Amino acid sequence: YDEASRAAFYATLGRLAALLARQGLPALVAATAHRRAWREAAREASPRFVEVFVDAPPAECRRRDPKGLYAAGPAIALPGVAVEYEAPVAPEVTATGGEDAAAVDRVLALITR
């Protein structure tokens, strides 16, 4: 995907999630959104927004990759591999290593309040 296509996709995803949230429905979006600006736009559009940063090292991501995307390397422009990933400055939750029970508890506390 080129940068313009990714920007359009994440803008649409953010607007859709915000629309659901304004209707009182929970909207959980699992997306890379490798640009901070895209995540901030979603935050601004949403009545409630919780950013969860899964801070897993690249080696762990490769190990847990069922599709083999990390093995393809730059050929598919994967965020965090061939495309820069802008880590969040102040996420509400950080899940360290990708498996973090405390992070799960924190997310549940934030979304059920």
Side-chain angles (χ1 to χ4, degrees):
Y1 306 101
D2 63 20
E3 195 72 7
S5 297
R6 288 179 194 258
F9 172 77
Y10 288 115
T12 300
L13 194 58
R15 285 191 303 270
L16 179 58
L19 175 66
L20 292 170
R22 284 192 299 274
Q23 299 301 315
L25 300 170
L28 302 175
V29 179
T32 307
H34 63 282
R35 297 282 178 242
R36 274 188 212 108
W38 300 339
R39 298 188 303 268
E40 287 307 313
R43 179 184 299 277
E44 290 174 17
S46 180
R48 267 178 64 196
F49 184 91
V50 175
E51 183 172 20
V52 179
F53 175 45
V54 180
D55 190 7
E60 181 63 12
C61 293
R62 277 190 296 280
R63 185 186 74 74
R64 294 170 38 189
D65 177 17
K67 295 180 182 177
L69 298 176
Y70 282 83
I76 61 165
L78 185 68
V81 176
V83 176
E84 178 191 7
Y85 177 81
E86 298 172 349
V89 175
E92 284 77 9
V93 179
T94 298
T96 305
E99 294 182 26
D100 184 334
V104 172
D105 291 342
R106 176 79 174 127
V107 169
L108 291 173
L110 288 168
I111 64 173
T112 59
R113 62 182 159 114

